[in-house]
Amino acid sequence: MKEAEYKKLVKNLIYHDELYYEKADPVISDYEYDLLLRQAAEFERLHPGKIDPNSPTNRIADPLDAGFQKKAHRTPMLSLSNTYSPEEIQEFIDRVEKLLSKKEILFHVELKMDGIAVSVRYVRGRLVCALTRGNGEWGDDITSNLKTLRSLPLSLKGEEIPEDFEARGEVYLPIQRFEELNQEREEKGLPQWANPRNAAAGSLKLLDSREVRARKLKVLFYGVGQFAGFKNQHEVCLSLQKMGLPVAEKGHTALCRNLQEILDFADTIQNKRAHLPFEIDGIVIKVDALEEHQSLGMTGKSPRGSVAYKFTPEQEKSVIRAIILQLGRTGIVTPVAELEPTLLSGSTITRATLHNQEEIARKDIRVGDTVLIEKGGDVIPKVVSVVKSARPPCATPWSMPDTCPFCNAPLFDSVGEVAVRCMNEACPQVSLQRLIFYVSKQGMDIPFLGEKVVQRLFEAELFRSFPDLYRLSKESLQRLPQFQEKSIANLLCSIEKAKQPPLYRFILALGIKYVGKQTARALAKTAERIEDFYTMQKEDFLAIEGVGEKVADSLLTFFSQESNRAEIAELASLGVVPLPPHGSNEQTGLFAKKSFVLTGSLEGYTREEAREVIESHGGTVKSSVSKKVDYLLAGKDPGSKWEKARKQGVTILSEEEFHQLLKQKGKS
Ligand code: IVH
């Protein structure tokens, strides 16, 4: 390819980026786009001196650059205080008027994007650094990942580009993309994301920026790091746009002079909310004149000149098709409404919790009823009220069945609780829920074991007790039609990796009656090993913070039962050895006084996870290689750190060798 052709190709790619992202109207497929991109990359590989800095190939950064260094924000990234009612907005306006000793203040009102705040720095028009908000003072350097966003310009355009410029905005995942990704995750047996914001946050943390690119995140800018040179907020937005940065579209911002105008704007947006391609959780009201905004100063970590007005949760109508019972790991029975699929806050709702019999009676909820449902944040949707006028004549009041729908054992009212319980120790549903909890994030934290996968394994009788989990093998899993080679490898690896949780999570995972997270943490502080509890008396338990009579009795019963002790011993023989609480390991852990540097992409861990494992064994993780470093943990495609470590005589561990080390510890 000649240079002129290459230049044309780059222009063409930029044109397709614009169609894809700015106009949402691509004319070529992703595949065709990738072919063009590869041609450009090939030319660049052969002629590195002729690379066009705007070439979209620059977006596919070297995955090795993606280690997240902490960097200081040059201007802190603040947060916003919230208002929830017109009265509170009026109070904000009054306060601003009073402090500025002036009436008729102009406010720039914007959408409050529900994503992840980022700060992107351009020096002489070139993108040099992108940081997350972090704690406001320090953020993670996510430059390589952000460069993969096709709508983010690598160079600014226009004549008036400041020498050193920081744009601030929000990275988000469009709702449609969120649903596609969740679908893909479900098929792969990966845990679902609760909402697009979590998905965006998770995506930005990926180590391999090529994977980030595939997520198709977007970004929208609404501010600058330093106000220098700008008069007001609406001018800031215009300038950002002129420089080629994506900003809010027309109609998604407004200049308002008073409460009424702000509420009118909020109303218009609320009405559009369900049709927006991204999630918002309110609007942001900003004093438009930047000098005034600055002079108002801050309270805590929020500027006095801006405030968020949060929308109350969206509501939608649906129809109850049936009321079913869900059974939790402690035997508590919860009635759940099965609904006509309904779109609410960007996702399709098919179920809503009805809490308990009393709640159903209080709201008089019946099968066949049209109901208003609501979803707040990432909690399960709930039924707000019944539209009585739409009730079919045949609808009858609902009452709790007398027997468990899963094992037919009688259901009992729990003393002192509104809840109803299945007390059958052998109830299959309770067993299943105990296993689901055991592997969950709160318990042993095995990410490749979502609820559906546990259920499949349970039905295939491969996973009926905690120890069963560690007896799963490639051979046994291959017999199940739903398991592909890759998912088997992922599953087995994640089970292996999770064999040494902190002691408190192991205690929690065992599902001892009345032992929640706080109690588990308090218990773990008093022991080195789980077996230490076997010899404890009731008084010993009662001396532990937060442990009362009921909990002490339950602990005593649990730890004295032979079957429980046998199960714990069996788990230990399978390598499940919880780690004693932090602190003791610093001196005696497997990696005590040892320092690590990570490089390359690890198959079985994210960087954060690898760090957690090392630290939980008493080691430390450093960012750069020096003679003082003990180990370099090298994943696939290690970079310059590998060479440096070799030269400095640092021990290089492959992921496999690292595993082996951990395993040995498990056996000792
Ligand atoms: S201005 C003082 N404008 O909301 C903070 N923030 O709850 C300056 N956000 O961390 C932010 N949309 O991530 C601003 N139009 C908008 C926004 C917005 C979403 C986020 C931002 C901030 C958070 C505070």
Side-chain angles (χ1 to χ4, degrees):
M1 194 189 325
K2 302 233 175 67
E3 189 177 358
E5 275 176 82
Y6 163 73
K7 289 237 150 99
K8 230 167 116 186
L9 182 58
V10 168
K11 270 201 180 142
N12 201 6
L13 281 164
I14 294 174
Y15 164 73
H16 287 302
D17 274 351
E18 263 175 31
L19 286 183
Y20 188 94
Y21 276 114
E22 258 111 301
K23 309 211 164 53
D25 187 20
V27 291
I28 59 173
S29 67
D30 276 7
Y31 175 70
E32 286 167 306
Y33 178 91
D34 274 340
L35 285 184
L36 294 180
L37 196 70
R38 262 187 238 167
Q39 285 175 26
E42 182 57 16
F43 177 88
E44 290 167 4
R45 196 178 63 80
L46 297 171
H47 311 281
K50 291 180 179 164
I51 297 179
D52 183 332
N54 287 321
S55 166
T57 55
N58 282 348
R59 297 176 190 284
I60 308 170
D62 179 352
L64 298 177
D65 289 349
F68 303 119
Q69 260 186 344
K70 295 258 179 278
K71 284 211 178 134
H73 288 295
R74 296 180 316 151
T75 315
M77 285 183 84
L78 306 175
S79 52
L80 290 170
S81 39
N82 293 326
T83 59
Y84 294 92
S85 65
E87 292 73 34
E88 285 179 12
I89 304 179
Q90 187 59 55
E91 283 167 21
F92 161 75
I93 298 175
D94 292 344
R95 208 163 43 239
V96 167
E97 285 182 348
K98 196 170 159 214
L99 286 166
L100 292 175
S101 318
K102 168 179 175 200
K103 296 262 173 205
E104 289 176 6
I105 289 159
L106 206 54
F107 296 98
H108 194 254
V109 190
E110 306 166 6
L111 302 192
K112 185 163 183 325
M113 306 293 296
D114 200 5
I116 306 298
V118 288
S119 175
V120 185
R121 185 177 170 198
Y122 289 87
V123 174
R124 285 184 286 282
R126 287 274 160 79
L127 192 164
V128 291
C129 182
L131 301 178
T132 60
R133 178 174 180 273
N135 64 3
E137 301 284 335
W138 294 79
D140 278 337
D141 184 339
I142 49 159
T143 314
S144 323
N145 280 351
L146 224 64
K147 273 185 178 173
T148 67
L149 272 62
R150 277 165 79 178
S151 57
L152 180 74
L154 303 172
S155 298
L156 297 176
K157 62 181 189 195
E159 270 120 54
E160 290 165 43
I161 301 170
E163 167 77 13
D164 191 343
F165 179 68
E166 217 176 299
R168 291 188 170 176
E170 202 88 350
V171 170
Y172 64 95
L173 192 65
I175 294 170
Q176 196 188 345
R177 190 67 196 128
F178 163 72
E179 291 193 338
E180 282 167 15
L181 287 172
N182 254 356
Q183 185 99 38
E184 284 171 24
R185 287 173 76 82
E186 179 160 18
E187 282 156 20
K188 290 183 189 157
L190 292 170
Q192 303 267 298
W193 281 304
N195 53 45
R197 181 168 37 80
N198 288 5
S203 302
L204 283 180
K205 283 193 197 133
L206 286 167
L207 281 181
D208 186 342
S209 26
R210 276 169 293 207
E211 254 185 74
V212 183
R213 178 172 182 264
R215 298 278 166 93
K216 299 185 181 161
L217 295 163
K218 287 193 164 196
V219 61
L220 187 145
F221 291 95
Y222 45 66
V224 288
Q226 292 85 27
F227 285 142
F230 297 103
K231 280 206 181 64
N232 45 50
Q233 174 65 10
H234 72 271
E235 186 191 290
V236 165
C237 293
L238 274 177
S239 302
L240 289 167
Q241 188 174 27
K242 277 194 194 141
M243 289 186 231
L245 293 162
V247 295
E249 68 180 64
K250 231 172 129 217
H252 288 179
T253 60
L255 275 169
C256 300
R257 283 166 301 185
N258 52 42
L259 177 68
Q260 196 49 54
E261 289 184 1
I262 294 171
L263 292 178
D264 288 347
F265 176 77
D267 248 13
T268 317
I269 297 301
Q270 293 245 45
N271 290 334
K272 285 190 199 165
R273 189 177 178 193
H275 309 289
L276 290 174
F278 45 75
E279 287 214 326
I280 58 170
D281 57 347
I283 55 171
V284 183
I285 307 158
K286 303 176 178 175
V287 169
D288 190 48
L290 296 177
E291 212 173 289
E292 290 175 357
H293 193 283
Q294 288 283 70
S295 73
L296 286 163
M298 317 212 312
T299 42
K301 286 197 166 182
S302 316
R304 276 205 198 87
S306 297
V307 81
Y309 173 47
K310 299 268 265 194
F311 291 155
T312 43
E314 253 184 274
Q315 294 186 343
E316 205 49 72
K317 273 188 199 162
S318 185
V319 175
I320 300 189
R321 285 176 169 171
I323 295 178
I324 57 156
L325 295 185
Q326 261 180 9
L327 202 50
R329 69 190 170 101
T330 54
I332 291 186
V333 175
T334 311
V336 170
E338 283 198 334
L339 302 165
E340 297 278 352
T342 307
L343 197 69
L344 179 66
S345 313
S347 51
T348 307
I349 309 299
T350 52
R351 285 184 171 190
T353 176
L354 299 173
H355 303 287
N356 51 53
Q357 159 107 52
E358 270 185 19
E359 185 77 2
I360 297 178
R362 195 174 61 80
K363 290 181 182 159
D364 188 16
I365 297 169
R366 304 181 188 188
V367 175
D369 269 345
T370 298
V371 289
L372 268 183
I373 51 171
E374 176 181 295
K375 198 174 81 170
D378 43 17
V379 294
I380 324 162
K382 59 179 185 188
V383 170
V384 187
S385 60
V386 175
V387 185
K388 292 265 169 65
S389 56
R391 174 168 284 168
C394 56
T396 50
W398 185 84
S399 63
M400 182 70 82
D402 298 330
T403 54
C404 170
F406 302 96
C407 69
N408 278 326
L411 293 177
F412 291 91
D413 289 332
S414 333
V415 187
E417 297 175 341
V418 276
V420 169
R421 279 178 202 264
C422 169
M423 310 283 263
N424 175 11
E425 296 230 322
C427 175
Q429 187 64 13
V430 175
S431 311
L432 174 63
Q433 293 302 326
R434 280 174 59 84
L435 297 177
I436 289 174
F437 183 77
Y438 180 79
V439 304
S440 73
K441 210 170 172 55
Q442 298 184 66
M444 301 298 274
D445 190 14
I446 305 177
F448 283 88
L449 263 178
E451 284 191 25
K452 290 215 166 104
V453 183
V454 176
Q455 187 155 3
R456 271 182 212 149
L457 297 173
F458 184 83
E459 281 161 8
E461 298 191 14
L462 288 175
F463 185 21
R464 286 284 165 120
S465 71
F466 302 152
D468 279 352
L469 185 64
Y470 307 96
R471 287 188 283 259
L472 290 175
S473 66
K474 202 170 158 191
E475 293 69 33
S476 60
L477 292 168
Q478 268 168 345
R479 269 182 260 129
L480 304 183
Q482 302 93 341
F483 286 89
Q484 313 295 321
E485 192 151 324
K486 179 82 185 153
S487 51
I488 294 178
N490 283 339
L491 178 58
L492 293 176
C493 179
S494 70
I495 294 172
E496 191 60 40
K497 238 175 56 186
K499 277 184 172 173
Q500 295 177 304
L503 183 57
Y504 86 90
R505 280 212 269 109
F506 184 64
I507 299 173
L508 194 60
L510 290 174
I512 307 167
K513 216 167 166 187
Y514 308 124
V515 175
K517 197 162 157 185
Q518 293 310 326
T519 313
R521 277 190 191 277
L523 282 165
K525 277 191 201 151
T526 66
E528 280 291 301
R529 303 166 339 127
I530 190 93
E531 291 84 355
D532 294 349
F533 296 116
Y534 296 178
T535 49
M536 278 166 79
Q537 307 296 311
K538 187 165 171 182
E539 304 80 73
D540 301 328
F541 285 126
L542 282 170
I544 296 171
E545 195 192 326
V547 175
E549 283 285 325
K550 200 165 79 169
V551 183
D553 283 337
S554 164
L555 286 164
L556 210 58
T557 316
F558 183 88
F559 287 116
S560 58
Q561 256 174 27
E562 203 35 59
S563 55
N564 292 332
R565 290 186 181 194
E567 186 162 60
I568 290 170
E570 197 177 358
L571 286 171
S573 73
L574 290 160
V576 183
V577 182
L579 296 168
H582 257 350
S584 52
N585 256 358
E586 277 168 29
Q587 299 305 323
T588 57
L590 176 66
F591 299 142
K593 301 197 185 79
K594 299 279 185 234
S595 57
F596 280 75
V597 170
L598 310 178
T599 184
S601 46
L602 300 170
E603 300 232 308
Y605 304 89
T606 63
R607 288 231 168 162
E608 218 20 70
E609 287 165 350
R611 173 188 287 271
E612 205 183 282
V613 172
I614 292 166
E615 286 178 351
S616 64
H617 285 84
T620 51
V621 178
K622 301 226 148 51
S623 56
S624 58
V625 175
S626 73
K627 277 209 172 93
K628 286 189 206 142
V629 168
D630 296 289
Y631 295 111
L632 180 82
L633 172 54
K636 254 203 341 232
D637 303 329
S640 56
K641 285 181 187 165
W642 192 89
E643 191 50 37
K644 199 166 170 196
R646 202 183 57 80
K647 281 194 186 140
Q648 307 259 12
V650 172
T651 309
I652 300 175
L653 289 178
S654 69
E655 195 170 345
E656 179 56 31
E657 287 163 334
F658 180 65
H659 258 312
Q660 291 302 331
L661 270 181
L662 289 170
K663 261 196 198 159
Q664 280 166 20
K665 159 85 178 170
K667 284 188 195 125
S668 64

